[in-house]
Amino acid sequence: GENVEQHPSTLSVQEGDSAVIKCTYSDSASNYFPWYKQELGKGPQLIIDIRSNVGEKKDQRIAVTLNKTAKHFSLHITETQPEDSAVYFCAASMEGYSSASKIIFGSGTRLSIRP
Amino acid sequence: EAQVTQNPRYLITVTGKKLTVTCSQNMNHEYMSWYRQDPGLGLRQIYYSMNVEVTDKGDVPEGYKVSRKEKRNFPLILESPSPNQTSLYFCASSPSPLGKGGAVGLGAQYFGPGTRLLVL
């Protein structure tokens, strides 16, 4: 079945620096890749997503890149701020004409921003 | 306010005592799903529902049951809880999976605040 690997499991960066989280997926049919941010005591919240017909997507300080050939995608956060400290999850799913509505999450990355 | 609510938020129970965790959404979403979150394992899907009376197994359905009698509610039932079901549970919902051209997809999911369950 589909598997999503996420690295690193923990990441500490200086405030103002950039942070990069990487994920690889196994099922080449996957075509939708969301990223979720989970703050302490809360449920995950979608922060950005990308579909397989796009190689890069950006939203202010957050960007996601997708390499379909290599089957990996990455989250980039620039000019990190203390409020970026959270656990981040990548995920992969298949959108299509079937009932394939399962979504597989990575194991998460705990990002800490040092003041 | 658009939201997904879960109850209870915290629950301590004993092995074998049936329990139900409720989930409700007020966004008229067709798709709903349950996940469990365990350290180092991320979020794993338990069950999902494409619409009323339509449910299907996720990756870790053993020991769980669900029902979808109404669009807004999607309860998770543990008939005989065991200690390995101690976990943090999340309910999520998503708008109609039927997008343009009939494509089926999840799009963005909205998660509830979580239910922390301890089975002794």
Side-chain angles (χ1 to χ4, degrees), chain A residues 32 34 36 38 41-46 49 51 87 89 93-108, chain B residues 9 31 35 37 40-43 45 48 50 57-59 88 90 97 100-109 111-113:
Chain A
Y32 174 66
Y36 287 86
Q38 185 180 22
K42 297 184 179 180
Q45 184 174 14
L46 180 75
D49 57 11
R51 287 182 165 80
V87 177
F89 291 99
S93 72
M94 189 176 74
E95 295 189 337
Y97 289 84
S98 69
S99 60
S101 294
K102 295 185 179 181
I103 183 166
I104 305 297
F105 285 84
S107 54
Chain B
R9 295 290 313 279
Y31 181 94
Y35 300 87
Q37 183 177 10
L41 297 177
L43 291 153
Q45 194 172 36
Y48 63 92
M50 295 284 282
K57 297 177 181 179
D59 290 316
L88 178 58
F90 288 101
K100 188 176 181 181
V104 177
L106 289 180
Q109 290 193 80
F111 282 81

Side-chain angles (χ1 to χ4, degrees), chain B residues 64-84:
Chain B
Y64 304 94
K65 284 175 57 178
V66 292
S67 68
R68 188 88 181 276
K69 294 182 170 57
E70 304 167 282
K71 197 172 187 178
R72 63 181 294 127
N73 296 323
F74 190 45
L76 179 69
I77 303 156
L78 284 72
E79 293 272 4
S80 183
S82 61
N84 63 13

Side-chain angles (χ1 to χ4, degrees), chain A residues 33-110:
Chain A
F33 308 93
W35 285 89
Y36 287 86
K37 176 184 181 182
Q38 185 180 22
E39 297 176 337
L40 194 62
K42 297 184 179 180
Q45 184 174 14
L46 180 75
I47 54 172
I48 195 168
D49 57 11
I50 192 168
R51 287 182 165 80
S52 58
N53 58 346
V54 176
E56 183 175 2
K57 185 176 179 180
K58 192 173 182 180
D59 183 4
Q60 299 182 342
R61 295 186 298 108
I62 294 173
V64 57
T65 59
L66 171 65
N67 184 328
K68 283 183 62 180
T69 303
K71 290 191 284 188
H72 68 70
F73 56 112
S74 301
L75 177 71
H76 305 254
I77 306 174
T78 58
E79 301 173 12
T80 53
Q81 300 170 5
E83 53 264 36
D84 294 330
S85 294
V87 177
Y88 292 81
F89 291 99
C90 63
S93 72
M94 189 176 74
E95 295 189 337
Y97 289 84
S98 69
S99 60
S101 294
K102 295 185 179 181
I103 183 166
I104 305 297
F105 285 84
S107 54
T109 296
R110 184 174 298 279

